[in-house]
Amino acid sequence: MWKTLISSSWTKEPVLQILFHVLEYWPAHRRRTSDGDERDVFALAATVALWEILQLSHSWCPSAVKDNFPRLLLTLLFQVFISTEEMSEEVETFWRRCREQRSLPPNPNRFAVQTVKALLRQLLDEDVLMAIGRKCGWDMLLKADSHHYAVGLLARELCHVSCSFGRSIAVSLLPRLSRGEPLWELPALAFLVEVLHCLIPRQYGPSILQIISRHLRSQCPERRRLALRGLVVLSKAPSMAKSIRSLNESLLELLQDADTDAVEMTLTVFINVLGLKIIQISSPIALKLLEALRPLFDNEHSQLQQLSMLLFREVMEATERSKSLKPHVYLSLVPFYFNWHDENQRVAEASRRALFGAARFLKWRDLENLVTMEQPWRFPECLLEKDRSRVGQYVRQALPFLESPEEPLRKLAIKFLGIAARSMKQEQPEMQLICQALQDITDDSPAISDLARQTLHIIRAVRRTSFFPFW
């Protein structure tokens, strides 16, 4: 029957369009037949019909199939998904009868994957299908919890073949995502993220940003991660900088997310947008950013440390000087100084650049010069001499570095505290904190213990006088 129908120029196109319509709309929208029937089997029946047509046309591709390739592929992938999620009694009965008449896989979802392969063979080489198979893509499609990963993998492979493939499918996908069809939203988002680089941001950016904005607020961590991945791509486009600024509040919330990957991508988005040097940040947003960044400067993940400090530097350059920001800038100086000595060279360089940005923001030329000249040993005396009113605050910030796993940082903390003691009044409570902390680490490694005892001895000696000499 199908061979007869598609062999005639009078019936081929109308029949294929009807099949496409049933495949595309019935599963998602629960369409009914004219007699009110809304059984789940019709989309599966249309899939069987399409599979038979594709078998007949293995040496040629009907123009309607080629012209509707993006729609068909997305719809068949959706059919794989719903036949994995749902298996009603009617579907089981229908499938059992289909298997009695034809040699078909035991499960409808496996058959839907088989039909996806048949469709792809019309336009792609077998090597592409084999590449997906080697990465377990076909098997992942069959599992509800990995389906969206497989869809993303398929999207990447299609883009490797031709960016135009990815572009045409993405354009077909945008209306579905804009409508917010919940059943297949996660896999659809996974596909879109992989092909974003094929689209022109100026043309499709606004609609994509609207989709991403909705998913940034999702309770589903995977949707948030995918939305952020898409936003990282968009944030590189100058035409999107001002539009992305509307997402500042959502992005600020994500900087406090427990998901390290989400925080990393959020930092990257901010860095990309500010790095374009197109927009400036208002003081209220800059203030919230600095508050959110400060805990990340000493994060256990070096990548978050590095990115947070790079973003700090960008914020310093993208906002006007404001008194409300200065307290947060002061609070960043000591962490930057210690991270400048980090064993990780990327963290150390990001710290140096951030410290330079802070010094320039505060208009401290001597501090700016010592960073430029890369003379970190001058920093403690320069800072503590220049800002005696905050010595106690700086001491409290330096104390945790006595417990650093890196011995050079512990040495640095001891030296910093020794210098700070010279700038403090004897009655300041931080003086007692310094002495107690140094006493507690005298059983560290020999080098640390000796330095701590020497520093403690000098502090106690000079406390007996009213003048703290430099040594």
Side-chain angles (χ1 to χ4, degrees):
M1 178 187 74
W2 294 114
K3 183 176 182 180
T4 302
L5 287 172
I6 66 170
S7 297
S8 168
S9 59
W10 291 95
T11 56
K12 179 176 65 177
E13 295 296 325
V15 165
L16 288 173
Q17 288 300 326
I18 290 171
L19 287 176
F20 299 163
H21 186 79
V22 173
L23 280 167
E24 188 169 17
Y25 292 105
W26 283 37
H29 301 289
R30 299 301 189 193
R31 294 295 177 88
R32 298 169 180 263
T33 58
S34 57
D35 60 358
D37 200 336
E38 58 174 354
R39 290 178 299 175
D40 296 328
V41 299
F42 292 107
L44 183 56
T47 304
V48 174
L50 179 63
W51 178 77
E52 291 192 352
I53 290 171
L54 291 171
Q55 299 309 300
L56 292 169
S57 59
H58 64 275
S59 60
W60 59 279
C61 183
S63 59
V65 172
K66 183 179 291 186
D67 294 342
N68 290 275
F69 175 79
R71 288 173 53 197
L72 271 177
L73 178 61
L74 293 173
T75 304
L76 286 173
L77 289 172
F78 178 54
Q79 182 64 33
V80 174
F81 180 75
I82 62 169
S83 58
T84 298
E85 289 281 292
E86 304 174 7
M87 193 67 170
S88 67
E89 184 178 341
E90 288 179 333
V91 171
E92 288 183 355
T93 301
F94 171 78
W95 192 244
R96 186 167 57 251
R97 291 174 180 170
C98 286
R99 294 191 67 208
E100 290 171 358
Q101 300 172 15
R102 309 168 183 84
S103 177
L104 298 176
N107 300 313
N109 62 345
R110 289 191 178 275
F111 172 71
V113 170
Q114 188 172 303
T115 309
V116 169
K117 292 180 180 179
L119 175 65
L120 292 173
R121 285 191 182 98
Q122 297 288 331
L123 297 174
L124 304 175
D125 293 334
E126 188 68 27
D127 290 347
V128 179
L129 277 69
M130 292 177 64
I132 296 170
R134 284 194 296 270
K135 298 174 182 177
C136 303
W138 305 121
D139 291 332
M140 288 194 295
L141 270 178
L142 297 169
K143 300 174 184 177
D145 59 348
S146 61
H147 180 84
H148 64 285
Y149 292 115
V151 170
L153 170 62
L154 177 58
R156 287 197 299 275
E157 294 299 328
L158 287 175
C159 286
H160 289 161
V161 174
S162 168
C163 209
S164 63
F165 269 142
R167 186 183 307 114
S168 62
I169 298 170
V171 171
S172 180
L173 190 60
L174 285 176
R176 293 176 179 231
L177 280 166
S178 296
R179 290 194 297 267
E181 298 174 2
L183 278 177
W184 203 60
E185 206 164 25
L186 181 59
L189 188 61
F191 196 106
L192 178 65
V193 167
E194 296 295 345
V195 299
L196 270 183
H197 65 280
C198 298
L199 297 175
I200 302 171
R202 190 178 296 277
Q203 183 176 359
Y204 297 103
S207 57
I208 295 171
L209 202 60
Q210 188 176 17
I211 293 166
I212 285 176
S213 174
R214 187 171 74 250
H215 290 286
L216 282 178
R217 300 187 296 271
S218 172
Q219 295 301 308
C220 170
E222 191 60 36
R223 292 190 189 196
R224 292 200 301 273
R225 280 194 290 268
L226 286 170
L228 282 166
R229 281 185 59 197
L231 202 55
V232 168
V233 176
L234 290 181
S235 64
K236 298 174 184 177
S239 60
M240 297 302 300
K242 291 183 180 179
S243 299
I244 291 175
R245 187 169 54 182
S246 65
L247 302 178
N248 280 343
E249 292 296 338
S250 296
L251 292 172
L252 281 166
E253 290 181 17
L254 286 168
L255 283 177
Q256 303 174 51
D257 201 292
D259 183 348
T260 302
D261 291 337
V263 176
E264 181 178 331
M265 287 186 284
T266 304
L267 291 167
T268 303
V269 169
F270 274 122
I271 290 170
N272 288 348
V273 171
L274 296 181
L276 294 170
K277 312 299 182 187
I278 294 174
I279 62 172
Q280 278 212 320
I281 305 180
S282 65
S283 291
I285 293 296
L287 185 60
K288 291 179 180 179
L289 259 176
L290 295 184
E291 289 173 346
L293 289 177
R294 198 166 68 246
L296 299 175
F297 297 154
D298 300 314
N299 194 278
E300 60 182 359
H301 298 281
S302 61
Q303 183 69 3
L304 295 189
Q305 279 186 289
Q306 178 190 351
L307 291 174
S308 64
M309 290 183 285
L310 291 177
L311 178 53
F312 178 94
R313 169 71 183 270
E314 296 291 348
V315 172
M316 292 294 95
E317 294 182 354
T319 187
E320 294 183 359
R321 290 183 178 85
S322 168
K323 288 184 178 180
S324 63
L325 300 182
K326 283 188 175 182
H328 293 277
V329 179
Y330 292 131
L331 282 171
S332 69
L333 297 173
V334 170
F336 291 162
Y337 165 66
F338 281 97
N339 288 332
W340 190 4
H341 297 77
D342 197 279
E343 292 176 348
N344 185 314
Q345 289 304 305
R346 292 184 177 181
V347 171
E349 176 58 20
S351 304
R352 188 192 67 79
R353 293 174 61 183
L355 190 56
F356 180 85
R360 173 166 287 187
F361 183 88
L362 295 171
K363 295 185 177 179
W364 287 1
R365 300 301 181 196
D366 44 359
L367 188 58
E368 189 178 330
N369 289 336
L370 74 83
V371 176
T372 302
M373 300 297 291
E374 297 198 21
Q375 298 174 337
W377 61 88
R378 291 177 48 209
F379 176 86
E381 288 186 6
C382 180
L383 173 67
L384 298 170
E385 179 67 26
K386 192 171 192 68
D387 196 11
R388 289 179 177 273
S389 64
R390 293 184 180 83
V391 171
Q393 172 183 293
Y394 296 146
V395 165
R396 290 179 181 274
Q397 285 185 288
L399 285 170
F401 287 95
L402 290 173
E403 301 176 6
S404 170
E406 298 180 25
E407 185 169 300
L409 289 185
R410 298 203 298 277
K411 286 183 179 179
L412 201 66
I414 294 172
K415 293 176 181 178
F416 185 94
L417 294 172
I419 296 171
R422 300 180 319 201
S423 306
M424 298 173 65
K425 296 178 180 179
Q426 295 199 31
E427 64 272 14
Q428 283 187 249
E430 287 78 15
M431 180 67 79
Q432 183 60 37
L433 289 177
I434 292 174
C435 293
Q436 185 62 54
L438 293 176
Q439 181 65 47
D440 290 343
I441 63 169
T442 52
D443 58 351
D444 203 305
S445 68
I448 295 294
S449 298
D450 288 346
L451 182 61
R453 277 192 289 266
Q454 291 170 15
T455 305
L456 190 58
H457 174 74
I458 295 171
I459 290 174
R460 286 171 174 169
V462 297
R463 285 182 67 185
R464 300 189 186 99
T465 70
S466 59
F467 173 68
F468 281 18
F470 287 85
W471 62 80

